[in-house]
Amino acid sequence: MMSAKSAISKEIFAPHDERMLASVQVKRRTKKKIPFLATGGRGEYLTYICLSGNSILHSAADSVTSAVQKASQALNERGERLGRAEKQTAEMMNSSQQFGETAHKLAMKHKC
């Protein structure tokens, strides 16, 4: 005779190439009848909460993907800022060179 946990694993998880890692049986009581469940009484029934390998792997993969995307975005933004800073530095250097040349020409002109 197969246990309920092995039956759940075989019927629900195995067909989707998943593995049931943990399960817990829970009993729920409510004051009202629940029409879509065969409770056999006033809203009392047993059920299982299960956790699969795939659900954990997907969550982990999503977290890693999200972290990589955030890091990549941060690097791109940093690269853009560095590019802008480099361009501004080059423009400042050109301006200072032009100013220096103009100042030198003026100095030479007024020396004579």
Side-chain angles (χ1 to χ4, degrees):
M1 189 168 169
M2 190 181 299
S3 76
K5 290 181 183 180
S6 17
I8 290 170
S9 181
K10 181 180 176 185
E11 298 297 322
I12 296 172
F13 294 99
H16 299 286
D17 289 328
E18 289 183 300
R19 189 168 141 226
M20 187 170 68
L21 298 178
S23 67
V24 65
Q25 187 178 30
V26 293
K27 184 176 184 178
R28 182 174 178 182
R29 286 192 223 169
T30 62
K31 292 181 181 177
K32 298 178 182 176
K33 281 193 174 185
I34 303 171
F36 56 88
L37 291 172
T39 60
R42 269 184 81 93
E44 234 178 75
Y45 69 98
L46 294 175
T47 190
Y48 288 89
I49 296 175
C50 305
L51 182 67
S52 76
N54 285 13
S55 63
I56 288 176
L57 291 176
H58 289 310
S59 297
D62 288 346
S63 298
V64 169
T65 302
S66 176
V68 168
Q69 286 172 344
K70 285 177 185 173
S72 177
Q73 183 180 352
L75 284 173
N76 286 339
E77 289 171 1
R78 183 176 180 206
E80 287 171 11
R81 285 194 303 272
L82 286 172
R84 286 194 299 270
E86 187 178 359
K87 184 180 175 185
Q88 288 171 348
T89 304
E91 287 171 358
M92 286 170 55
M93 192 172 91
N94 283 339
S95 295
S96 5
Q97 282 177 340
Q98 288 174 356
F99 178 77
E101 289 170 9
T102 304
H104 180 71
K105 286 178 186 174
L106 281 172
M108 294 306 283
K109 183 178 178 181
H110 292 288
K111 224 179 200 181
C112 300

